Amino acid sequence: MNENVEQRVGLLTAVRNGLGVLHELTGVIARHQGDIRSVDIIEQSENGTRIYFELDLPGSPEDLVHDIGELEAVHNVEAVQTMQKIYGKRIVIMGGGAQVGQVAVGAIAEADRHNIRGEHISVDTIPLVGEQALAAAVRAVTRLPRVKALVLAGSLMGGEIEHAVREVRQQGLLVVSLNMAGSVPEACDLVVTDPVQAGVMTVMAVADTAKFNVARLKRREF
Amino acid sequence: MNENVEQRVGLLTAVRNGLGVLHELTGVIARHQGDIRSVDIIEQSENGTRIYFELDLPGSPEDLVHDIGELEAVHNVEAVQTMQKIYGKRIVIMGGGAQVGQVAVGAIAEADRHNIRGEHISVDTIPLVGEQALAAAVRAVTRLPRVKALVLAGSLMGGEIEHAVREVRQQGLLVVSLNMAGSVPEACDLVVTDPVQAGVMTVMAVADTAKFNVARLKRREF
């Protein structure tokens, strides 16, 4: 086996509850030159906690799985298929329920067409009300893994939400808005009037299987 | 300040790329008696990586933020609002695009009604085709944080997907199926014919603001 070939490995561990367990696990992974790409602490019950890692590893995972299994805090460890392979890129839609639902219909139908051709796109939504709650949710999108684009679906958004949109765009996130009242549309990459089309266009913009490129569009409003 | 009062804290860190950085961070958190509830490694670029923690901490986060900021690998660290507060419980809908879209419309509209009353429910979807891909995605749901229920939306599902459904139900996940061909409906908690109603019922089942309890239903098919 060529030790220089890095591979992405999924590791599911069941561990005892307690402080410092994650510190022990990451110590073993660092010793094996594992570059951790994601960590999920899934459920904590009285019987223990399950922690899921994705990491890039030189060579095969058998030795790492063995050494993690030797830790006193570890009940079980196994190599599993990675999330990137299963769930892939994420689109997040947020705003008012009626409009979020229609954007979702467009985005899901379009994601289906691309996923059939080998893409991995999932569509996440959060129905939400209020300027502060929405601004916090917009900012939090950049703390979620695998998110490529955000759609704001509502009838009136502005103020603090506009500031949040400008911040997350600076961090490289694509932001699409429905055509609506308030200052949010001005702050977005793309403004679309029909909610179904907004969902379709957003998925097209992040799909490698599509030819649609927002930067090349001659207009920004549809 | 009462040192025995635990509080949930969100910590956003910007760190240099490199092996062992997560090990260093978790070491400092363990020294401060922080019980880590979630970790997200958000984006890795050539300039560095952003890692987001949620943890229960005795007392206030100032000392921990200070000590993490002292690490050579850390460019920036700040306390932020937690995700549980922003995104809350998750419903996942997977299957064929046309039907996933309709379940999403019901789930999003219903989640909106509960979120307005103080719940925090978000609705995630993945349009997907194929027995193996779906079975893998069903199993992977239990490795995602904050997921309370899964809806299978399609016209034919069975075989390996049925086994995956039985496994995740044993781990405590609520699984709802559309009325469809194949063996999946038999393996689920609830079978619903109308996709919009399937979405609505699933949200009702996980909302603390609803009176709906699947265990108390006199029938399992609608």
Side-chain angles (χ1 to χ4, degrees):
Chain A
M1 179 180 300
N2 185 342
E3 285 289 309
N4 293 320
V5 177
E6 293 236 324
Q7 53 175 319
R8 180 70 52 96
V9 175
L11 275 189
L12 185 59
T13 66
V15 301
R16 70 162 163 74
N17 294 325
L19 303 180
V21 175
L22 187 58
H23 184 57
E24 286 185 51
L25 290 170
T26 53
V28 178
I29 292 169
R31 274 212 313 281
H32 283 265
Q33 313 284 316
D35 188 5
I36 299 174
R37 311 300 293 216
S38 81
V39 187
D40 280 318
I41 298 173
I42 302 155
E43 281 300 334
Q44 295 178 313
S45 73
E46 55 196 23
N47 300 320
T49 301
R50 292 185 313 131
I51 304 179
Y52 173 68
F53 295 94
E54 293 197 355
L55 45 100
D56 290 333
L57 203 62
S60 77
E62 283 82 10
D63 292 348
L64 174 59
V65 168
H66 174 268
D67 287 1
I68 288 178
E70 296 283 289
L71 291 175
E72 174 270 331
V74 173
H75 303 147
N76 190 45
V77 53
E78 57 181 317
V80 296
Q81 219 180 1
T82 64
M83 290 284 182
Q84 186 66 47
K85 227 166 157 178
I86 295 174
Y87 291 113
K89 302 167 184 169
R90 295 165 76 183
I91 309 284
V92 175
I93 306 163
M94 57 177 70
Q99 286 158 295
V100 169
Q102 294 309 306
V103 176
V105 166
I108 291 164
E110 183 68 12
D112 203 31
R113 301 173 74 220
H114 292 282
N115 290 354
I116 284 169
R117 287 178 282 166
E119 257 288 3
H120 294 267
I121 298 174
S122 57
V123 178
D124 299 350
T125 72
I126 171 159
L128 207 59
V129 71
E131 181 179 342
Q132 295 309 321
L134 267 163
V138 169
R139 291 193 172 100
V141 163
T142 61
R143 306 202 300 268
L144 291 172
R146 298 179 282 106
V147 177
K148 304 299 175 199
L150 168 66
V151 185
L152 292 165
S155 300
L156 168 63
M157 294 187 194
E160 197 54 30
I161 307 171
E162 180 204 335
H163 298 147
V165 166
R166 294 191 190 276
E167 285 171 37
V168 298
R169 282 188 62 202
Q170 280 200 322
Q171 294 177 49
L173 190 73
L174 176 77
V175 185
V176 177
S177 167
L178 295 189
N179 193 354
M180 66 170 93
S183 58
V184 156
E186 288 163 36
C188 292
D189 293 282
L190 198 62
V191 181
V192 184
T193 304
D194 168 31
V196 174
Q197 187 178 65
V200 172
M201 276 192 176
T202 307
V203 169
M204 286 166 67
V206 306
D208 290 332
T209 36
K211 290 203 168 72
F212 186 75
N213 186 333
V214 171
R216 282 202 197 157
L217 292 176
K218 293 212 170 73
R219 57 190 177 121
R220 214 181 55 83
E221 292 193 26
F222 293 87
Chain B
M1 178 180 302
N2 185 341
E3 285 289 308
N4 293 319
V5 177
E6 293 237 322
Q7 54 175 320
R8 180 71 50 97
V9 176
L11 275 189
L12 185 59
T13 65
V15 300
R16 69 160 163 76
N17 295 326
L19 303 180
V21 175
L22 187 58
H23 184 56
E24 286 185 51
L25 291 169
T26 54
V28 177
I29 292 169
R31 274 211 313 280
H32 283 263
Q33 312 285 316
D35 188 4
I36 299 173
R37 311 299 293 215
S38 80
V39 187
D40 280 318
I41 298 173
I42 301 155
E43 282 299 337
Q44 296 179 311
S45 72
E46 55 196 23
N47 300 322
T49 301
R50 293 185 315 131
I51 304 179
Y52 172 69
F53 294 93
E54 292 197 355
L55 44 103
D56 289 333
L57 203 62
S60 77
E62 283 83 12
D63 292 348
L64 175 59
V65 168
H66 174 267
D67 286 2
I68 287 179
E70 295 283 287
L71 290 175
E72 174 269 330
V74 173
H75 303 147
N76 191 45
V77 52
E78 57 181 320
V80 296
Q81 219 181 0
T82 65
M83 289 283 181
Q84 185 69 45
K85 230 167 157 175
I86 295 174
Y87 291 112
K89 302 167 184 169
R90 295 165 76 183
I91 310 282
V92 176
I93 307 164
M94 59 178 71
Q99 287 157 295
V100 170
Q102 293 309 305
V103 176
V105 166
I108 292 164
E110 184 67 11
D112 203 31
R113 299 174 74 220
H114 293 282
N115 290 353
I116 284 169
R117 288 179 283 166
E119 258 287 5
H120 294 267
I121 298 174
S122 56
V123 178
D124 299 349
T125 72
I126 169 159
L128 207 59
V129 69
E131 182 179 341
Q132 295 309 321
L134 267 163
V138 169
R139 290 193 172 99
V141 163
T142 61
R143 305 201 301 267
L144 292 172
R146 299 178 282 106
V147 177
K148 302 300 176 200
L150 168 67
V151 186
L152 292 165
S155 300
L156 168 64
M157 293 186 194
E160 196 54 31
I161 307 170
E162 181 205 336
H163 298 147
V165 166
R166 294 191 189 277
E167 285 172 34
V168 299
R169 283 188 63 203
Q170 280 199 324
Q171 294 177 50
L173 191 74
L174 176 76
V175 185
V176 177
S177 167
L178 294 189
N179 192 355
M180 68 170 91
S183 57
V184 156
E186 288 163 37
C188 291
D189 292 280
L190 198 63
V191 181
V192 184
T193 304
D194 169 32
V196 174
Q197 187 177 66
V200 172
M201 278 192 175
T202 306
V203 169
M204 287 167 68
V206 306
D208 290 334
T209 37
K211 288 200 170 72
F212 185 74
N213 185 331
V214 172
R216 283 199 196 160
L217 292 176
K218 292 210 171 72
R219 55 188 177 122
R220 214 180 54 83
E221 292 193 27
F222 293 87

